[in-house]
Amino acid sequence: MQKGYVKIVEVGPRDGLQNEARYVDVETRLALIARLVAAGVQHIEAAAFVSPKWVPQMAGSAELMKRLPRRAGVHYSALTPNLYGLESAIEAGCEEVAVFASASEQFSRRNINCTIRESLERFRSVVEAAFAHGIKVRGYVSCALHCPYEGAVPTGKVAEVAMLLYELGCYEVSLGDTVGRGTPDSTRTMLEMVARRIPVQHLCCHFHDTYGMAIANIASSLELGVRVFDSSVAGLGGCPYAAGASGNVATEEVLYLLQGMGYDTGINLPQLVEAGRFISQALGRESSSRVGRAYAATGGGRLLAASTCDAA
Ligand code: HMG
Ligand code: MG
């Protein structure tokens, strides 16, 4: 029985590749994105207009944004930490950007070199300028469950920062388990707190999979009504300012879970696996997605959704 639509925001080209040791050139990033689009992915965070001194892997974002395949129903976004980044994004033709705050003071300083309060002041100008150009803005709250420098983060602080982003005009607030230390219970507690202040349909969950809990955390979030998830094809990614953090939850795993539970995502799993194979090969390593590896192990012959496996 179909349970409804779940929106997947594919963040591999940004969150994934920003943390790969090997620089992936614009041509390869475009080839990855073309495969994601062919698989039916409709929301792709493609680039980041951040300082190349801070994150060299995102160099070439302007060229990439200009050359993206434009298709009806496909939406691209890019990170913009300040007005400088926004101006570059506008020049490159971005229709959606994302600002990124943190619920942890230390992480904010290490990631964007300012306090939480300063970041929110900057984002006010970014959002105003974006709206003046008809650009949608998404917001992130990093360290929504745990900070690599401060440890457990109070849920009240997460809710406060999320609310401030929502009040600034972010149409969706993505709650980031930056270091992947959340569990289904801590996820539930945090979400219940945030959802008291922001309608759940405006929330997204963004899990990194360092401790292997991401899929369980997604199942927990679904129970609370979250219907938007960020994920990275082939489990690419991490965060350059969160030592030890592994990649985002693999999109292949998220699709397998959602299909098995009867949710629709509009994405074709075998084609997505092919996109994961492509980028893993370009990086010269095996995919971090277990679903992707299982598919490869069967010779790519067939990949069944969880719900149909038992009958096979
Ligand atoms: P800063 O050094 O404080 O900036 O960095 P500044 O304003 O003092 O400027 C210093 C230099 O950077 C100047 O150049 C500026 O022009 C330049 P110089 O005069 O030295 O040649 N500059 C820029 N260049 C390109 N693009 C820009 C830009 N702004 C200034 N937008 C800044 C502040 C925010 C720029 C820096 O800290 C930065 O770029 N940080 C980005 C960090 C980042 O990208 N982290 C990863 C993304 S967040 C994440 O992954 C978490 C998430 O996935 C959710 C989760 O998992 O929790 C979203
Ligand atoms: Mg992230």
Side-chain angles (χ1 to χ4, degrees):
M1 192 189 74
Q2 277 300 315
K3 285 192 186 152
Y5 177 71
V6 171
K7 173 179 159 185
I8 301 291
V9 181
E10 171 58 53
V11 296
R14 191 284 301 175
D15 203 351
L17 297 182
Q18 81 180 7
N19 201 41
E20 292 293 336
R22 186 181 289 191
Y23 173 76
V24 177
D25 62 31
V26 169
E27 219 60 57
T28 309
R29 278 141 74 184
L30 285 168
L32 167 64
I33 290 168
R35 282 167 172 78
L36 294 170
V37 171
V41 180
Q42 291 191 304
H43 301 272
I44 302 177
E45 194 172 77
F49 292 94
V50 299
S51 163
K53 284 185 196 147
W54 287 65
V55 185
Q57 291 89 336
M58 288 292 100
S61 284
E63 182 195 344
L64 181 128
M65 284 305 304
K66 286 178 189 165
R67 294 177 55 198
L68 284 171
R70 303 287 166 188
R71 300 274 184 283
V74 176
H75 308 278
Y76 300 108
S77 62
L79 295 190
T80 51
N82 52 17
L83 273 175
Y84 183 122
L86 181 75
E87 279 156 19
S88 311
I90 292 170
E91 215 273 313
C94 273
E95 287 165 8
E96 179 174 335
V97 297
V99 291
F100 46 109
S102 167
S104 141
E105 206 56 73
Q106 279 294 318
F107 188 84
S108 181
R109 287 173 193 275
R110 302 235 192 172
N111 192 37
I112 49 175
N113 205 23
C114 63
T115 64
I116 299 171
R117 180 189 286 266
E118 285 164 348
S119 75
L120 291 163
E121 279 159 19
R122 276 184 203 170
F123 298 156
R124 181 179 300 283
S125 338
V126 172
V127 173
E128 280 170 8
F131 286 175
H133 286 81
I135 293 173
K136 286 173 76 175
V137 185
R138 194 171 195 248
Y140 278 103
V141 183
S142 284
C143 302
L145 290 167
H146 195 93
C147 169
Y149 314 110
E150 295 180 9
V153 175
T155 50
K157 188 68 190 172
V158 181
E160 181 194 326
V161 176
M163 186 63 196
L164 289 167
L165 289 172
Y166 185 63
E167 282 175 349
L168 281 183
C170 294
Y171 78 93
E172 194 167 275
V173 178
S174 177
L175 303 162
D177 183 11
T178 316
V179 279
R181 287 199 53 176
T183 61
D185 276 4
S186 62
T187 298
R188 176 179 290 276
T189 305
M190 181 275 290
L191 272 175
E192 281 173 349
M193 178 66 100
V194 178
R196 278 189 212 147
R197 306 186 70 176
I198 302 178
V200 75
Q201 62 269 29
H202 294 284
L203 296 178
C204 165
C205 285
H206 175 113
F207 295 109
H208 286 256
D209 205 19
T210 319
Y211 286 78
M213 292 290 113
I215 283 293
N217 295 341
I218 289 176
S220 177
S221 316
L222 282 165
E223 280 174 16
L224 291 178
V226 176
R227 293 292 181 270
V228 188
F229 296 96
D230 296 342
S231 59
S232 277
V233 67
L236 299 170
C239 178
Y241 300 100
S246 79
N248 297 93
V249 63
T251 310
E252 294 89 324
E253 265 81 324
V254 181
L255 288 193
Y256 190 77
L257 172 80
L258 293 172
Q259 285 188 7
M261 293 178 82
Y263 289 101
D264 171 37
T265 62
I267 303 174
N268 178 292
L269 182 51
Q271 280 180 273
L272 187 87
V273 167
E274 163 49 25
R277 187 206 57 77
F278 167 80
I279 191 62
S280 302
Q281 197 170 53
L283 288 164
R285 62 169 173 76
E286 202 180 35
S287 170
S288 298
S289 161
R290 274 173 285 180
V291 171
R293 293 203 301 270
Y295 184 69
T298 63
R302 62 201 180 104
L303 183 72
L304 301 170
S307 56
T308 58
C309 265
D310 294 341

